Amino acid sequence: FFLTQRIKYNYNNFKIKMKKKKISKIINLKFILIVALFVFLDQISKFFIRTNMYIGKSIPLFENVLHMTYVTNTGISFGMLKGNNFLFIIISIAVFIFFILNIKEFTDSKLGAAFIFSGIIGNVTDRIFLGSVVDFIDFRVFPIFNFADSFINIGVFLIVLSAIREYMKQKKKLLKTKS
């Protein structure tokens, strides 16, 4: 009797572990597909700009509101700290490794992490293969940027939002236990 109970327990425990492994594979595959899609969107847009425009050319999409303006950037997001391309390759790779090593911490905001990964990969790809980042989204009152820059900012926003939600949930839980 005890042996059959133990076998049933081990079998059920095995089934649960296998389901968890399948779920984690799906989540990981989904995460990788999202990152790949965003990187593809970033790189194809930059390829289109590089092959159809010359540096400095600007095409108004909505006159004096939104233009496509081809510029290159050796700085960070939105053209800040220009001329430090190699330094930003190193920093970007370090941030990417940090995220890989701490991916478990982003369980509440995997989408935010996917956006950040995509932005880092998109801009580092440009830095390594082109020597600078291709920027082209021009709102005329803001530095020119690209999809990868946007992805990084969206990712940071989602992670901060997730952290605020978690903080509020913990605060609510703490208040309930005190009363």
Side-chain angles (χ1 to χ4, degrees):
F1 174 75
F2 291 111
L3 183 59
T4 57
Q5 288 299 100
R6 184 73 181 151
I7 290 170
K8 282 182 185 176
Y9 171 77
N10 285 339
Y11 177 71
N12 287 335
N13 197 22
F14 175 75
K15 281 185 1 185
I16 291 168
K17 284 181 181 176
M18 290 309 291
K19 283 182 183 177
K20 285 182 181 176
K21 284 183 180 180
K22 286 180 183 177
I23 290 169
S24 69
K25 283 183 181 179
I26 292 168
I27 290 171
N28 288 337
L29 180 60
K30 190 170 148 183
F31 182 85
I32 290 167
L33 289 174
I34 290 169
V35 170
L37 175 68
F38 290 162
V39 170
F40 176 76
L41 176 65
D42 176 65
Q43 289 298 303
I44 200 74
S45 65
K46 291 172 181 175
F47 177 77
F48 175 80
I49 296 299
R50 285 193 326 269
T51 56
N52 291 294
M53 297 176 72
Y54 55 86
I55 293 176
K57 182 176 181 180
S58 185
I59 300 170
L61 302 175
F62 298 101
E63 191 68 41
N64 294 323
V65 176
L66 176 62
H67 290 227
M68 261 191 329
T69 304
Y70 179 15
V71 297
T72 58
N73 176 12
T74 57
I76 57 174
S77 293
F78 311 114
M80 297 183 290
L81 304 171
K82 291 181 186 249
N84 297 297
N85 197 48
F86 183 73
L87 174 66
F88 294 126
I89 289 172
I90 301 301
I91 291 171
S92 297
I93 291 170
V95 170
F96 187 80
I97 291 169
F98 169 81
F99 268 91
I100 293 284
L101 295 175
N102 294 288
I103 193 69
K104 291 179 206 165
E105 302 298 321
F106 299 100
T107 54
D108 292 337
S109 187
K110 285 223 182 223
L111 185 59
F115 270 107
I116 292 172
F117 273 40
S118 303
I120 291 171
I121 292 168
N123 280 342
V124 166
T125 300
D126 283 9
R127 289 182 190 286
I128 291 170
F129 292 105
L130 303 174
S132 62
V133 174
V134 173
D135 287 334
F136 60 91
I137 302 170
D138 183 2
F139 280 103
R140 300 308 221 184
V141 294
F142 199 71
I144 301 169
F145 59 100
N146 59 43
F147 286 129
D149 295 335
S150 298
F151 294 156
I152 291 168
N153 286 286
I154 291 167
V156 169
F157 173 78
L158 290 174
I159 288 171
V160 168
L161 186 64
S162 175
I164 291 169
R165 282 186 186 153
E166 184 60 29
Y167 171 78
M168 297 305 284
K169 193 185 333 177
Q170 293 297 325
K171 189 175 178 181
K172 204 181 259 186
K173 196 178 194 181
L174 185 63
L175 289 174
K176 280 184 181 180
T177 57
K178 284 186 176 181
S179 49

